[in-house]
Amino acid sequence: MKISVIGCGYLGAVHAACMADFGHEVIALDIDAVKVERLGRGIPPFHEPGFEDVLKRALASGRLRFTTDPSAIGEAALHFIAVGTPQRGGSYAADLSQVDTTVAFLLDHARSDGGPVVVVGKSTVPVGTAQSIADRLTEGGLDAVVVWNPEFLREGYAVADTTRPDRVVYGLPEDEERGEIGRAALDEVYRPIIDAGTPRLLVNYPTAELVKVAANSFLATKISFINSMAELCDATGADVTRLAEAIGHDDRIGPKFLQAGIGFGGGCLPKDIRAFMARAGELGVDQSLTFLREVDSINMRRRDHAVELAAQMCGGRLVGLKVAVLGLTFKPDSDDVRDSPALDIAGRLWGRGANVVATDPAGADAVRRVRPDLQIVDTADEALEGADLVMLLTAWRDYVAIDPSHAKSLVAVPRILDGRNALDPKAWSQAGWDYRGMGRTASSW
Ligand code: UGA
């Protein structure tokens, strides 16, 4: 099928390449000329394991093209909306300006003379957006069947989550005949996914839109829940990692997303729960989501706590001390530093007068753009050299694998704060380190 993908961020670029790999003819559109030029040469503009291979393969097949020219989408029978919906400045609500631009592109360039085009929304949007897009396209004279098809991909696993999702959700229009056109078209695009027996849920627009924000809210709540337990563990001498392990054996709870530490960040969870609260307010049901305020504040409290703990470990003051920060991205296997707890904490330490020397395997360039004042070095060894305190803030495999004895030979004082509870406290303590985790005390391991 001839399809277009509008927006080439983490979601759109990966989606475009994977759809071409499925055998479709894909035109991918973005307004960022540098990004488009790089993608067209097979160079991923972000760090995403496995993406470069799919991208190169798709380009070599001749089925994938990147462009900044919106008129190029005219040939496509199906259009994916994959643009960003960031947090609006000065507000909790989502900024839908890129969605609005996409609607304008579609009205100007999509063609429905041979029958309706199908417009598939993948961006995370406030509930009500799908219907509003459908209305605007109709009013603008385009015969379009809008399907809302939320995306659940995780950075770091984007290719696998796109090609082998654990479920697909189609939000279909109320009109059954038009709904059937949308379903059939999307089934054709996703043929390998459907043939693999992936659960596919057919729902209405608001359900599809809510599924996405509900899933992210649940994940954020799970993380803040375990982080609130970490606070209790700190106050009582219990160990949050053992607590998580114990409750996780109950398969109604499950072990995933119970990793306590410095909390969640990234381009999705924080802004999605805020936009969800803002939308609930507009709908007059803000009370239903009051708990998400607490989820957000528990999460932000983790950052304060990490900085306080760092100061405490150093006798109350950080001024002039060298702090080695390992990891700056919001999670491992990504170069994304949007709302990264690690970067925020590094900045706060710097604000408290610490001499911060940070390192990250993939995020250094992004950090240099947003925090040019932070000192960044290439390797963990360079960061550790002469440090008074080490902080592990993103659990990259290479950092988790650091040998504590080797690290001890480099630092000035063997003190480590494990912001992700990713290290073996016994091994580090036995190697002579003053080890502190988040929600675990020496008596608990
Ligand atoms: C999240 C969701 O997991 C995806 O399903 C969703 O599609 C995506 O947002 C999106 O809306 O596009 P992602 O932002 O890639 O994916 O990151 P996660 O893996 O969810 O991690 C989010 C944050 O939570 C990270 O900072 C991570 O370090 C933190 N986290 C995660 C914890 O602190 N503890 C945990 O146990 C798990």
Side-chain angles (χ1 to χ4, degrees):
M1 199 188 271
K2 281 191 177 169
I3 65 179
S4 84
V5 176
I6 304 172
C8 292
Y10 286 90
L11 162 59
V14 175
H15 196 71
C18 292
M19 293 306 110
D21 216 29
F22 278 180
H24 304 294
E25 206 174 300
V26 182
I27 182 82
L29 175 70
D30 200 285
I31 54 168
D32 181 338
V34 176
K35 192 192 280 180
V36 162
E37 193 270 329
R38 286 173 68 95
L39 281 164
R41 286 193 291 130
I43 306 168
F46 44 78
H47 176 90
E48 183 58 51
F51 173 49
E52 189 170 353
D53 290 347
V54 186
L55 176 64
K56 291 213 156 96
R57 199 162 59 229
L59 288 167
S61 74
R63 289 191 300 270
L64 175 64
R65 276 190 307 129
F66 291 92
T67 182
T68 53
D69 174 11
S71 70
I73 67 169
E75 296 290 300
L78 184 144
H79 305 273
F80 281 106
I81 303 177
V83 292
T85 52
Q87 190 173 335
R88 199 187 296 163
S91 153
Y92 266 16
D95 173 355
L96 294 180
S97 56
Q98 296 178 44
V99 172
D100 295 339
T101 308
T102 304
V103 170
F105 281 167
L106 289 168
L107 285 174
D108 285 344
H109 303 289
R111 285 209 300 269
S112 58
D113 23 332
V117 285
V118 178
V119 172
V120 182
K122 296 200 73 67
S123 307
T124 302
V125 291
V127 57
T129 307
Q131 188 59 55
S132 135
I133 292 174
D135 293 345
R136 279 184 280 166
L137 292 176
T138 308
E139 283 157 21
L142 183 73
D143 184 8
V145 172
V146 173
V147 180
W148 213 260
N149 170 228
E151 179 57 58
F152 305 104
L153 74 78
R154 298 157 297 167
E155 288 181 25
Y157 301 89
V159 172
D161 286 350
T162 303
T163 53
R164 295 189 301 279
D166 45 19
R167 79 291 207 187
V168 286
V169 175
Y170 298 0
L172 299 172
E174 269 175 40
D175 180 295
E176 267 184 42
E177 216 172 291
R178 292 179 74 78
E180 188 47 28
I181 294 174
R183 184 206 57 76
L186 206 47
D187 275 359
E188 192 182 331
V189 174
Y190 290 158
R191 181 53 53 209
I193 296 172
I194 304 296
D195 285 351
T198 310
R200 184 199 58 180
L201 286 93
L202 306 181
V203 298
N204 64 9
Y205 288 158
T207 307
E209 292 164 319
L210 280 177
V211 162
K212 172 62 197 245
V213 278
N216 277 1
S217 297
F218 190 83
L219 295 171
T221 304
K222 211 171 173 193
I223 299 168
S224 277
F225 170 81
I226 201 65
N227 279 327
S228 75
M229 291 302 114
E231 292 179 356
L232 268 295
C233 288
D234 273 333
T236 55
D239 186 316
V240 74
T241 62
R242 304 311 305 275
L243 181 145
E245 190 186 338
I247 63 172
H249 279 298
D250 182 334
D251 60 13
R252 293 170 304 172
I253 297 174
K256 292 182 182 163
F257 269 65
L258 284 180
Q259 186 80 32
I262 57 171
F264 60 82
C268 302
L269 261 43
K271 65 106 176 150
D272 285 356
I273 60 169
R274 292 174 192 153
F276 199 14
M277 284 187 271
R279 186 68 183 127
E282 288 166 7
L283 294 166
V285 287
D286 40 338
Q287 265 194 330
S288 310
L289 297 185
T290 315
F291 75 96
L292 286 180
R293 251 177 221 290
E294 202 49 46
V295 166
D296 202 2
S297 40
I298 292 169
N299 192 50
M300 297 311 285
R301 227 160 45 219
R302 301 310 287 164
R303 304 177 185 189
D304 303 333
H305 181 57
V307 175
E308 283 317 314
L309 211 51
Q312 213 185 76
M313 289 179 77
C314 299
R317 277 167 63 82
L318 290 165
V319 179
L321 296 184
K322 180 176 173 188
V323 180
V325 166
L326 303 181
L328 292 165
T329 53
F330 85 107
K331 68 174 191 181
D333 292 322
S334 166
D335 59 356
D336 198 343
V337 297
R338 284 176 296 171
D339 206 345
S340 165
L343 179 57
D344 188 13
I345 290 168
R348 291 182 197 209
L349 296 167
W350 184 85
R352 294 271 292 252
N355 165 22
V356 177
V357 180
T359 189
D360 190 280
D365 287 347
V367 174
R368 283 191 190 101
R369 282 194 293 275
V370 291
R371 285 294 310 237
D373 47 346
L374 279 186
Q375 191 187 340
I376 302 181
V377 293
D378 291 336
T379 64
D381 277 10
E382 286 170 78
L384 293 172
E385 194 69 55
D388 298 292
L389 171 70
V390 180
M391 291 178 76
L392 176 72
L393 298 184
T394 311
W396 286 94
R397 267 181 298 277
D398 284 357
Y399 300 157
V400 176
I402 287 174
D403 171 27
S405 303
H406 168 70
K408 188 162 176 258
S409 71
L410 298 173
V411 297
V413 186
R415 276 192 285 239
I416 184 156
L417 175 53
D418 178 3
R420 293 293 184 178
N421 288 343
L423 303 173
D424 177 355
K426 272 196 198 130
W428 282 77
S429 303
Q430 277 161 10
W433 285 78
D434 173 12
Y435 170 95
R436 290 293 295 270
M438 306 284 286
R440 53 203 320 208
T441 49
S443 60
S444 69
W445 62 73

